Amino acid sequence: QRQMCIRDSSYNDWLLALAAYNAGSGSIDRALMRTGAEDFWTLSRKAKNTKLRRETLRYVPRFVAITWAIENDERFSTKAVG
């Protein structure tokens, strides 16, 4: 089942937990084993050695960017909807 609580994730990196939510924890576990990476950014740099989909490799940076933009909406003269 793809649903997971990021708070209860076995990863010590929030970004790996987000990647696991997107790709599945098995995919992320295998990619970590293949690359020896311990964080998302290292894993993304070594992604050629994995079978991770491009969607997953883009999901996390986009999530981070959107979160940052929402938290800093006054810099962009925008307001979050809702």
Side-chain angles (χ1 to χ4, degrees), residues 65 67-80:
T67 301
W68 184 87
I70 290 170
E71 289 178 352
N72 295 282
D73 64 335
E74 69 281 351
R75 288 183 172 190
F76 304 105
S77 299
T78 61
K79 297 226 183 239

Side-chain angles (χ1 to χ4, degrees), residues 33-76:
M33 294 280 287
R34 285 187 187 113
T35 63
E38 295 181 5
D39 62 79
F40 175 78
W41 300 118
T42 303
L43 178 62
S44 68
R45 283 193 300 274
K46 296 180 175 185
K48 290 179 184 177
N49 300 330
T50 70
K51 294 181 180 179
L52 283 178
R53 295 178 303 168
R54 194 176 331 174
E55 172 192 338
T56 299
L57 297 172
R58 291 179 178 170
Y59 176 80
V60 173
R62 288 176 178 173
F63 185 93
V64 170
I66 289 169
T67 301
W68 184 87
I70 290 170
E71 289 178 352
N72 295 282
D73 64 335
E74 69 281 351
R75 288 183 172 190
F76 304 105

Side-chain angles (χ1 to χ4, degrees), residues 5-39:
C5 181
I6 293 174
R7 179 187 71 223
D8 298 331
S9 171
S10 62
Y11 301 103
N12 292 324
D13 181 82
W14 282 95
L15 303 180
L16 285 176
L18 283 171
Y21 174 78
N22 182 262
S25 58
S27 295
I28 298 301
D29 290 343
R30 285 187 294 279
L32 291 171
M33 294 280 287
R34 285 187 187 113
T35 63
E38 295 181 5
D39 62 79

